[in-house]
């Protein structure tokens, strides 16, 4: 049975409908965010980088990050409007949260360097934040659950 190793609750500044999780040492990222960003997909996976497309233009989203020792149960509760899975390699064991203007200074602690991680990302509040961000800069409307686990023991 999978064991939850850590959980972080973070805020993310979303600009121009997107943000990214990328290897903390940006010198190890061949194409740092926002270079070559594509729109239209909830998740876009690059070498050591994951671009996440938001429902709202400019707002603050809430990000819950879980690190598991193996594949977590696929029963997370929530009214998920988008979800996807993929992989990211992290030589340092940390991922930076990147906004359009660069590294936000907030990091996801994976706890294990030199690892290829599987990830499952879910989002709720996309429709609501789309409407609200047209007239304001909302906070906490859009929520993400990001789960990581190593691809092998």
């Amino acid at each position: 049975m999978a064991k939850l190793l850590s959980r972080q609750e973070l805020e993310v500044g979303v600009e121009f409908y997107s943000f990214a999780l990328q290897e903390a040492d940006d010198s190890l990222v061949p194409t740092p965010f926002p270079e070559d960003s594509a729109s239209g997909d909830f998740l876009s996976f690059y070498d050591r980088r994951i671009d996440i497309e938001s429902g709202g233009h400019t707002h603050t989203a809430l990000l819950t990050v879980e690190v598991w020792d193996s594949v977590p149960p696929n029963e997370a509760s929530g009214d998920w409007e988008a979800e996807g899975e993929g992989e990211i390699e992290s030589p340092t064991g940390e991922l930076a949260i990147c906004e359009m203007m660069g590294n936000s200074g907030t990091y996801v602690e994976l706890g294990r360097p030199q690892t290829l991680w599987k990830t499952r990302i879910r989002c709720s509040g996309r429709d609501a934040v789309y409407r609200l961000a047209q007239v304001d800069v909302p906070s906490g409307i859009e929520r993400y659950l990001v789960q990581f686990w190593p691809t092998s023991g």
Side-chain angles (χ1 to χ4, degrees):
M1 188 166 149
K3 179 181 172 187
L4 179 64
L5 301 175
S6 68
R7 183 181 180 101
Q8 289 177 270
E9 301 283 340
L10 306 166
E11 290 187 345
V12 178
V14 176
E15 301 165 324
F16 298 98
Y17 294 98
S18 65
F19 66 97
L21 302 174
Q22 78 176 20
E23 166 56 39
D25 182 348
D26 60 359
S27 72
L28 301 175
V29 181
T31 310
F33 183 76
E35 290 180 39
D36 293 340
S37 287
S39 63
D41 292 325
F42 171 55
L43 302 175
S44 298
F45 290 87
Y46 299 86
D47 193 6
R48 299 182 180 154
R49 174 180 133 200
I50 305 168
D51 289 5
I52 302 171
E53 187 169 286
S54 168
H57 187 282
T58 304
H59 65 99
T60 301
L62 300 178
L63 187 73
T64 299
V65 178
E66 298 178 343
V67 178
W68 294 77
D69 66 348
S70 61
V71 181
N74 195 2
E75 52 193 47
S77 62
D79 189 17
W80 307 117
E81 296 171 47
E83 63 182 280
E85 291 190 15
E87 295 180 344
I88 186 169
E89 179 190 20
S90 178
T92 64
E94 286 186 323
L95 300 177
I97 295 177
C98 294
E99 301 165 0
M100 279 296 177
M101 300 309 289
N103 183 331
S104 70
T106 304
Y107 295 88
V108 170
E109 303 292 337
L110 298 172
R112 193 164 112 181
Q114 302 301 326
T115 302
L116 180 62
W117 297 90
K118 287 284 290 179
T119 185
R120 178 185 302 138
I121 302 174
R122 294 180 164 124
C123 181
S124 66
R126 293 172 66 79
D127 293 339
V129 82
Y130 173 79
R131 289 188 307 277
L132 293 169
Q134 302 296 315
V135 295
D136 200 2
V137 181
S139 182
I141 304 299
E142 192 173 60
R143 297 173 179 270
Y144 292 86
L145 173 63
V146 183
Q147 298 172 307
F148 292 97
W149 64 94
T151 57
S152 61

